[in-house]
Amino acid sequence: MEAAMTADRPRKATLFQVVRMLLWAFAGIRKREEHDKIEVKPVQVIIIGIIAGAVFVTTIVSVVLFITRG
Amino acid sequence: MAAYGHTQDHGHDDHHAHKPSGIMRWVASTNHKDIGTMYLWFSFAMFLVGGVMALIIRSELFQPGLQIVKPEFFNSMTTYHGLIMVFGAIMPAFVGFANWLIPMQIGAPDMAFPRMNNLSFWLLPPAALLLIAAQFAPGGGAGVGWTLYAPLSTQAGPAMDLTIFAIHILGMSSIMGSINIITTILNMRAPGMTMMKMPMFCWTWLITAYLLVAVMPVLAGAVTMTLTDRHFGTHFFNAAGGGDPVLYQHIFWFFGHPEVYIIAIPAFGVVSQVIPAFSRKPLFGYASMVYATSSIAILSFMVWAHHMYTAGMPVEAQLYFMYATVLIAVPTGVKVFNWVATMWKGSLTFETPMLFALGFLFLFTLGGFTGLVLSIVPVDVQLHDTYYVVAHFHYVMVAGALFSAFAGIYFWLPKWTGRMYNETLGKWHFWLSLVFFNVTFFVQHFLGLAGMPRRIPDYSLQFAEFNMISSIGAFGFGLSQLLFLYIVINCIRSGEKAAERQWEGADSLEWTHLPSPAPWHSFETPPVVK
């Protein structure tokens, strides 16, 4: 890990936190405090955003296939 | 909100304002403020040209039967009204705002690529001339609709080639403008101006610029394939040669749906500056607004085929696009709630910018709701290509984007010109626009529900009354915009001196750190943002 990190800087977000943040973001909601507490790298947001987008599409397609089955 | 330190010495800036004089100041301009001004005047000129085309359409539709124009010319008017308003009026207007405001709001001296900025603007007039020249091509303008669907567009006359070339040029201009905006925002922010401290307007333009870079090449591809189908023996959209005209629709709408957001998102940005300023409260849920806007941008790529439910697609695809479209309303709804919550318990005042922002909020929401109605497949099958659709997208484009542009112009005119507009006349402009807009377009919902198709010069007798009302409204709306022109010119020539911080609730850098009018060169030394 980077040695430059100091105590007062926000700690790095865990994978779970980024995923949770992105799922809320799809609904357009995010806690303001959360922004100050955790540090999220843009790369994390983009990669998990793309995965979440793919999951979003796949979920809808699955629902559609379930409905039109038979 | 962010607190700003280090008030800039205004005399210092004025000292460096050696403006070149004469026409070369504008032709060779690399100054973001001058280029922004040119964008705004250009878009207003195009707004008038497109507006006259709209009035020709509404004149013909005043009564049933063919009165004033020939059907081919009518089709050409519907086509170029759409193209000119979308690519010539609304998009350049918001690029004008971006040029003026982004460097000032992030504390940068200018855009990242000033010469490319000049080229971005000066590509627009030739493109506009091509669109207007197309009217005089053999056979007249291409009456293919603004969507330029094949096979009509592959069969149209030479005007189509001029139109395709114009779209290529406009696309180049947009892409260069977007690269400039992205680079400026990512690299030229003042010390301490972190991304999450940027005014919402900068965020919305950053997201829009990415959308533009992503989809303008798609449109260019679609019209290039049309061009090669027309002249170079390809068969992309020709079923007889193994192609498919529906392919054109898919490619066009893969551009076209994000395009809706390219127009709407900067409008959201303007409203997100105006409403907090006149509520004297920071924007409610700033972080969530940033994320909601990003989500809307991403999701806008996944819903394109809701424009083509009737073109023929499997029921599975219809259901997918319906569900996805309905879900996209969620982040948009969150934004509307955030604006309302921003006003909650605020010290509200209702100057002209706020009135237009509220008009936006109310009517854009209505346009969003009719969009939801249209997203439902069985309903859309009934309403597709009727006046209901025309009413829906004019609520989004006019009451959404145009009202927000008016809000922004009244809001920033004091900063741009150093003078105040006439508040009474501004309010008249708002109320006249609001009333006549609704007279024009609200009745079109009824026409559509009753089954009147769009893009027709003549119609059955049962549609006569509502069409007459709509045409009267259109002329009222058009004339009201001449009042706007008068207000702006009057402001520039003889308005009262504006204060440095004309709106005490406005707290972005251009209000807190720069005099009115903003000096020709600003922030040569970046401010320090705490």
Side-chain angles (χ1 to χ4, degrees):
Chain A
M1 295 302 276
E2 289 167 38
M5 268 185 68
T6 53
D8 58 333
R9 277 182 64 180
R11 63 195 159 78
K12 291 213 165 125
T14 61
L15 182 69
F16 173 72
Q17 280 173 320
V18 181
V19 171
R20 197 182 59 178
M21 185 196 87
L22 261 149
L23 292 180
W24 277 113
F26 270 144
I29 301 165
R30 193 191 179 192
K31 277 185 190 164
R32 187 187 281 268
E33 313 88 84
E34 200 178 50
H35 165 67
D36 302 327
K37 281 184 197 154
I38 58 170
E39 182 187 280
V40 185
K41 280 191 261 177
V43 183
Q44 287 178 308
V45 176
I46 292 166
I47 293 173
I48 297 173
I50 290 168
I51 295 171
V55 170
F56 176 76
V57 171
T58 318
T59 311
I60 301 177
V61 170
S62 313
V63 171
V64 167
L65 292 177
F66 175 74
I67 291 169
T68 55
R69 198 179 44 171
Chain B
M1 272 276 139
Y4 306 114
H6 176 75
T7 302
Q8 201 160 15
D9 176 15
H10 304 144
H12 171 82
D13 271 328
D14 295 338
H15 181 67
H16 285 281
H18 302 300
K19 289 179 204 168
S21 55
I23 188 141
M24 290 311 286
R25 170 181 171 189
W26 304 99
V27 173
S29 180
T30 52
N31 180 290
H32 73 100
K33 298 187 182 81
D34 281 358
I35 293 173
T37 304
M38 288 196 289
Y39 263 108
L40 288 164
W41 278 111
F42 171 83
S43 66
F44 189 75
M46 286 296 103
F47 174 63
L48 293 185
V49 173
V52 168
M53 291 175 165
L55 293 184
I56 293 171
I57 294 168
R58 284 315 321 170
S59 302
E60 180 56 51
L61 295 174
F62 184 71
Q63 283 186 321
L66 294 175
Q67 267 88 217
I68 298 166
V69 296
K70 290 181 177 161
E72 311 85 75
F73 184 68
F74 182 92
N75 289 342
S76 166
M77 286 296 101
T78 56
T79 305
Y80 291 91
H81 164 71
L83 287 172
I84 285 176
M85 285 304 201
V86 169
F87 294 105
I90 300 179
M91 285 171 68
F94 285 108
V95 182
F97 280 106
N99 262 298
W100 254 104
L101 297 168
I102 288 173
M104 294 201 293
Q105 290 191 332
I106 63 172
D110 204 307
M111 297 294 279
F113 306 113
R115 291 181 184 173
M116 190 165 82
N117 205 10
N118 174 292
L119 184 59
S120 301
F121 172 76
W122 281 108
L123 283 173
L124 293 179
L129 288 177
L130 280 171
L131 288 177
I132 293 165
Q135 308 308 313
F136 304 98
V144 297
W146 86 278
T147 51
L148 313 173
Y149 272 9
L152 215 46
S153 58
T154 53
Q155 295 160 1
M160 193 63 215
D161 300 317
L162 299 181
T163 308
I164 289 171
F165 190 34
I167 287 175
H168 278 137
I169 296 174
L170 290 164
M172 279 190 266
S173 164
S174 288
I175 290 169
M176 285 194 286
S178 302
I179 291 170
N180 222 335
I181 288 167
I182 293 170
T183 315
T184 307
I185 292 178
L186 293 184
N187 293 316
M188 295 178 66
R189 279 170 287 120
M193 177 60 80
T194 59
M195 295 291 278
M196 292 309 279
K197 277 186 193 165
M198 286 199 305
M200 196 62 207
F201 178 77
C202 295
W203 260 111
T204 55
W205 247 113
L206 179 67
I207 293 161
T208 305
Y210 275 110
L211 279 180
L212 274 166
V213 171
V215 300
M216 288 315 284
V218 177
L219 176 67
V223 293
T224 306
M225 284 189 266
T226 308
L227 189 72
T228 59
D229 267 16
R230 288 167 59 81
H231 296 297
F232 303 108
T234 58
H235 299 287
F236 291 112
F237 308 130
N238 181 0
D244 186 355
V246 178
L247 173 66
Y248 178 86
Q249 298 188 23
H250 279 290
I251 301 172
F252 179 85
W253 285 113
F254 191 77
F255 147 80
H257 196 76
E259 169 69 17
V260 175
Y261 291 88
I262 286 166
I263 289 171
I265 289 176
F268 294 167
V270 170
V271 168
S272 300
Q273 301 297 122
V274 172
I275 289 182
F278 293 95
S279 307
R280 286 142 186 98
K281 272 178 68 194
L283 183 66
F284 182 88
Y286 169 87
S288 75
M289 286 287 251
V290 170
Y291 283 82
T293 314
S294 311
S295 304
I296 290 169
I298 294 166
L299 296 175
S300 74
F301 285 99
M302 299 171 187
V303 294
W304 75 90
H306 64 210
H307 295 270
M308 30 189 299
Y309 285 145
T310 58
M313 70 174 90
V315 71
E316 289 86 355
Q318 289 181 330
L319 284 173
Y320 163 76
F321 284 109
M322 175 167 87
Y323 296 159
T325 306
V326 171
L327 287 168
I328 205 175
V330 175
T332 314
V334 169
K335 296 174 80 71
V336 172
F337 282 120
N338 280 342
W339 288 316
V340 174
T342 302
M343 291 187 283
W344 179 253
K345 292 191 175 177
S347 311
L348 297 173
T349 52
F350 299 95
E351 288 88 343
T352 311
M354 182 65 163
L355 289 177
F356 270 108
L358 292 177
F360 162 92
L361 192 53
F362 192 67
L363 296 175
F364 177 83
T365 306
L366 206 62
F369 274 129
T370 53
L372 272 177
V373 171
L374 288 169
S375 74
I376 310 298
V377 176
V379 179
D380 184 73
V381 170
Q382 305 292 317
L383 294 176
H384 183 83
D385 261 350
T386 68
Y387 260 81
Y388 193 89
V389 178
V390 176
H392 155 68
F393 69 73
H394 280 93
Y395 268 79
V396 178
M397 297 285 131
V398 181
L402 183 67
F403 274 27
S404 138
F406 284 146
I409 287 168
Y410 284 112
F411 186 61
W412 280 294
L413 257 183
K415 184 51 68 183
W416 294 341
T417 65
R419 292 173 184 278
M420 263 304 275
Y421 61 89
N422 183 321
E423 190 65 58
T424 312
L425 288 180
K427 283 182 174 145
W428 268 100
H429 175 226
F430 168 73
W431 286 109
L432 287 172
S433 296
L434 184 82
V435 170
F436 282 122
F437 168 81
N438 282 295
V439 172
T440 311
F441 293 108
F442 200 79
V443 291
Q444 293 185 359
H445 292 110
F446 307 139
L447 286 170
L449 288 167
M452 178 170 161
R454 63 192 283 206
R455 294 170 176 153
I456 51 161
D458 188 9
Y459 49 83
S460 307
L461 288 175
Q462 72 267 28
F463 304 130
E465 280 82 6
F466 284 139
N467 269 298
M468 195 175 276
I469 293 169
S470 181
S471 291
I472 292 168
F475 275 86
F477 188 80
L479 291 174
S480 306
Q481 306 323 311
L482 297 180
L483 174 63
F484 171 65
L485 179 64
Y486 171 77
I487 294 168
V488 171
I489 291 174
N490 190 43
C491 166
I492 294 170
R493 290 167 66 99
S494 56
E496 283 174 33
K497 291 288 278 178
E500 174 169 329
R501 195 170 180 176
Q502 183 66 32
W503 317 110
E504 80 271 14
D507 61 358
S508 44
L509 288 180
E510 80 274 26
W511 296 108
T512 54
H513 277 55
L514 294 174
S516 299
W520 205 53
H521 289 299
S522 46
F523 294 136
E524 285 163 307
T525 310
V528 177
V529 181
K530 283 173 188 157

